[in-house]
Amino acid sequence: MKAQGQLAIETVGLEKAFGDQKAVAGISLSVPRGSVFGFLGPNGSGKTTTIRMMLGLAEATKGQINLLGYEIPKKVAEVLPKVGALVEGPAFYPYMSGRNNLIRMDSADRNSNPQTREQRVDSALERVGLSNAAKKKVHAYSLGMKQRLGLANALLKPRELLILDEPTNGLDPQGTREVRNLIRSLAAEGITIFLSSHLLTEIEQLCSHVAVMRAGEIVAQGSLNELRSNGQTRLMLVVDQVAEAKEVLKAAGISKTETLGQKLVSSVDRELDVAKLNKALVAKNIAVSELRLENPSLEEYFVDLTGEGFEVVR
Amino acid sequence: MFARLFSASLMLSELRVMFTRRRTWAMLAAIAMIPILLATAVYLSADQIAPGEGPPFLDRVTQNGLFTGFTAMLLAMPLFLPLTMSVVSGDTIAGEAGLGTLRYLLIAPVGRARLLVVKYLATLVFALVGTFVLMIAGAIIGAILFPVGPVTLLSGDVIQIPEALGRMAIVALYTTVSMMGMLALGLFISTLTTIPVGAMTGVLVASGVSQILDNLPQLAWLHEWLFTHYWLDFADILRQPIELGSLGANVILQLGYVAVFGALAYGRLASKDILS
């Protein structure tokens, strides 16, 4: 049954045009199974439209989509039970309780077992920390609680793939942390997670892979490490004897060094053996109060890619 | 095939959603108020009504409380009943789209055809409940305020109370059937928009236009094709034997509307991008 390839999601030349405007302009995504894949881009860059096409909600103008080895939209009914999703924010019946909302959504799925329904709903509610608010009507929920309920809806069944569109939107810092931990634990279970976000820090914290969207196009894609290596790793060093320390660095083959008082900053290879360097410094009787490697900031890289501006691109 | 188009579990869920809403209960309460207001008004002014004045049957209500339901149905048929039907049917898809729950139902996945079938059947259940509420409220208030006895039918025959109650049930069923076409039209209009109020208004306007056209003698050729044409013909149920001619024609007409607008609704929803 699981004879599908290594990719959880694959799109080829995917395009969506509204009139003559291309919301998605021919993107090719490769989301490896088991990855936490960040889908990063500013608001309005075409992320949600892409997700809608993946889930069969909107029809692609051009291109192909393959979800867990199933062709979309042809086989969408077969693959959707294996996919949990949060699309453009949660949506519920405000006059019904959180629990009844989930029961309703589960009843809509003709593949789901009515015998286990209540139990699955309760465990999904527990997983997102909503057990105590389960009987409250949704109109009394805060945005954060609705967001959690949306996640619970995605977790009503064991899934192979979760497509989460801005899952921490509207959450307070504590809620954000909890949701991120939840995503980590889901990923640890081997579920592939496709996470769309406009928050770089979120992607950096959670994801193994990333694709960057800008104005309907993918401007970068790959593992986080691959993208990081596009930037320069820096060595930060704080010592008591700056001149001596510089000598040691030179001996270790690090020549480009800037000095800021007691602090030395140099561009280094990302594989640099820090322990060995520390040993060499100490051997010269240099007191080291700080020594660390700073990975290149993805932020700088992404700002380069997506532009700094506050302006809506289109 | 049947399983693809219907599921008891989803149907129950749909009815639960519908009957959790206060709006549904408010509309049913309002429907029940029609015979209650009517009977109360007649009761308070009984001696002032000349026979034959006011809506048909009105003068009979004072003689036999069982007529309250029939009279109230005649009053509710042109506007109030269609109004509640347009609210329920206009809300079917547009309401879900407006809330955003439509996208979650579709990725559940519910199946677009199955969603339409279940939504339509739920509106039909509402119509059935609504018409029965009206008849039952009519019977109860009639029995409280007026004498109740064997009913003299339009054909002059007299039927006993149990049979009269049976006829009331048949009228409620007939009225439900009469609503089938309009409910299907509402389902279709509801797939066209994400604003439920827009869809509701559209359905109500359609029923108004249809009734106006039905009253223009110049358009006589069109009349038998209008979904409102047979709405008031339930009076035929009050004859002995029940006159089946227009009832049969109504059933066929309504089924025709269901087929046409059901197909249009499916065509629309199946090909629609859900962007709400």
Side-chain angles (χ1 to χ4, degrees), chain A residues 1-8 33-34 67-70 79 82 158-161 189-192:
Chain A
M1 193 186 104
K2 265 203 202 173
Q4 305 102 26
Q6 290 306 300
L7 293 177
R33 274 181 185 260
L67 223 63
L68 299 171
Y70 294 83
V79 72
K82 302 168 200 267
R159 310 286 195 185
E160 285 178 40
L161 170 66
E189 290 168 23
I191 304 171
T192 308

Side-chain angles (χ1 to χ4, degrees), chain B residues 2-273:
Chain B
F2 184 70
R4 285 183 66 90
L5 289 178
F6 183 76
S7 125
S9 170
L10 180 59
M11 186 71 204
L12 282 177
S13 157
E14 185 60 40
L15 291 176
R16 200 169 299 149
V17 172
M18 182 184 272
F19 286 99
T20 305
R21 296 196 78 159
R22 250 183 260 155
R23 187 180 75 190
T24 307
W25 292 102
M27 287 196 299
L28 291 176
I31 288 175
M33 283 309 288
I34 297 173
I36 295 173
L37 285 176
L38 172 94
T40 313
V42 170
Y43 181 73
L44 295 176
S45 58
D47 28 338
Q48 295 158 27
I49 306 174
E53 197 184 325
F57 308 146
L58 195 62
D59 54 330
R60 295 189 185 216
V61 170
T62 50
Q63 296 150 30
N64 194 336
L66 289 181
F67 269 100
T68 313
F70 298 121
T71 315
M73 189 65 92
L74 276 176
L75 283 179
M77 214 51 198
L79 181 65
F80 196 77
L81 214 51
L83 176 74
T84 61
M85 297 304 146
S86 66
V87 168
V88 170
S89 69
D91 197 50
T92 45
I93 301 298
E96 300 278 358
L99 281 176
T101 42
L102 182 58
R103 61 175 182 269
Y104 285 106
L105 289 174
L106 292 179
I107 65 173
V110 69
R112 299 189 188 204
R114 206 165 64 116
L115 181 65
L116 282 174
V117 168
V118 167
K119 282 283 181 190
Y120 181 70
L121 291 178
T123 62
L124 215 51
V125 169
F126 176 81
L128 196 65
V129 173
T131 53
F132 269 91
V133 161
L134 189 144
M135 290 312 264
I136 292 168
I140 293 172
I141 190 72
I144 293 173
L145 296 181
F146 305 110
V148 168
V151 173
T152 309
L153 293 174
L154 301 182
S155 54
D157 302 79
V158 176
I159 57 171
Q160 295 306 309
I161 294 176
E163 203 190 338
L165 294 176
R167 295 283 169 115
M168 289 166 78
I170 296 174
V171 168
L173 284 173
Y174 177 82
T175 316
T176 305
V177 170
S178 292
M179 291 296 150
M180 285 171 64
M182 182 184 173
L183 292 172
L185 174 66
L187 184 74
F188 168 60
I189 294 179
S190 195
T191 61
L192 300 177
T193 172
T194 58
I195 303 160
V197 175
M200 294 170 194
T201 313
V203 193
L204 192 61
V205 166
S207 102
V209 168
S210 176
Q211 292 183 65
I212 290 169
L213 294 179
D214 203 21
N215 276 316
L216 298 177
Q218 291 83 351
L219 296 175
W221 55 271
L222 183 68
H223 291 172
E224 56 182 334
W225 298 99
L226 296 169
F227 64 91
T228 56
H229 183 61
Y230 300 102
W231 273 9
L232 297 176
D233 287 9
F234 64 81
D236 288 350
I237 293 166
L238 302 183
R239 294 177 206 281
Q240 192 76 303
I242 296 177
E243 222 166 87
L244 291 171
S246 80
L247 306 193
N250 188 20
V251 171
I252 291 167
L253 177 74
Q254 298 297 334
L255 289 177
Y257 269 89
V258 172
V260 170
F261 287 103
L264 284 174
Y266 178 72
R268 168 68 185 165
L269 189 66
S271 61
K272 187 186 185 186
D273 280 352

Side-chain angles (χ1 to χ4, degrees), chain A residues 41-300:
Chain A
N43 295 327
S45 56
K47 301 189 302 281
T48 300
T49 306
T50 305
I51 289 177
R52 282 180 190 283
M53 287 190 283
M54 285 176 184
L55 295 170
L57 289 172
E59 206 179 342
T61 310
K62 250 189 229 164
Q64 286 117 46
I65 308 169
N66 205 296
L67 223 63
L68 299 171
Y70 294 83
E71 200 185 312
I72 304 290
K74 215 190 212 163
K75 303 263 178 182
V76 75
E78 278 143 83
V79 72
L80 282 179
K82 302 168 200 267
V83 181
L86 189 64
V87 193
E88 200 165 20
F92 294 102
Y93 307 91
Y95 46 86
M96 281 169 44
S97 72
R99 188 167 183 276
N100 284 342
N101 263 289
L102 293 189
I103 287 175
R104 157 75 167 166
M105 285 301 166
D106 195 64
S107 312
D109 179 357
R110 68 164 160 270
N111 309 282
S112 79
N113 181 356
Q115 254 112 53
T116 58
R117 180 165 296 145
E118 304 222 340
Q119 177 231 320
R120 283 183 290 114
V121 163
D122 288 334
S123 69
L125 284 166
E126 198 179 335
R127 186 131 205 205
V128 299
L130 275 182
S131 296
N132 291 329
K135 299 226 159 86
K136 256 193 207 165
K137 287 190 176 166
V138 167
H139 72 71
Y141 277 27
S142 66
L143 180 55
M145 287 161 83
K146 285 182 194 154
Q147 197 77 15
R148 285 158 187 256
L149 192 60
L151 282 167
N153 180 45
L155 298 174
L156 283 174
K157 291 174 154 195
R159 310 286 195 185
E160 285 178 40
L161 170 66
L162 286 174
I163 296 180
L164 304 176
D165 192 5
E166 307 273 1
T168 58
N169 220 4
L171 293 175
D172 51 25
Q174 193 200 356
T176 304
R177 239 175 94 96
E178 281 166 26
V179 165
R180 287 179 186 165
N181 285 338
L182 176 64
I183 291 172
R184 277 190 203 102
S185 74
L186 291 165
E189 290 168 23
I191 304 171
T192 308
I193 294 172
F194 185 81
L195 175 80
S196 119
S197 179
H198 65 282
L199 299 174
L200 179 64
T201 46
E202 185 158 288
I203 302 274
E204 256 192 303
Q205 281 180 26
L206 292 172
C207 297
S208 56
H209 293 70
V210 67
V212 185
M213 279 282 265
R214 178 176 193 267
E217 289 177 73
I218 289 182
V219 287
Q221 182 171 200
S223 77
L224 220 53
N225 287 336
E226 278 165 18
L227 293 186
R228 268 210 189 97
S229 65
N230 288 331
Q232 182 65 58
T233 306
R234 279 177 300 192
L235 173 76
M236 311 292 255
L237 181 62
V238 181
V239 290
D240 59 342
Q241 303 161 59
V242 174
E244 283 84 346
K246 266 191 171 170
E247 290 303 314
V248 176
L249 288 179
K250 228 172 237 167
I254 303 165
S255 50
K256 277 203 309 197
T257 303
E258 277 175 61
T259 317
L260 301 152
Q262 298 297 103
K263 193 176 187 179
L264 297 170
V265 181
S266 5
S267 305
V268 294
D269 190 82
R270 49 191 317 226
E271 309 289 306
L272 180 79
D273 189 344
V274 187
K276 201 173 143 193
L277 181 67
N278 190 27
K279 240 182 191 171
L281 289 165
V282 173
K284 293 270 178 191
N285 225 355
I286 299 167
V288 180
S289 47
E290 189 182 340
L291 173 59
R292 65 188 161 89
L293 276 184
E294 199 165 79
N295 278 323
S297 142
L298 276 178
E299 189 167 354
E300 291 161 28

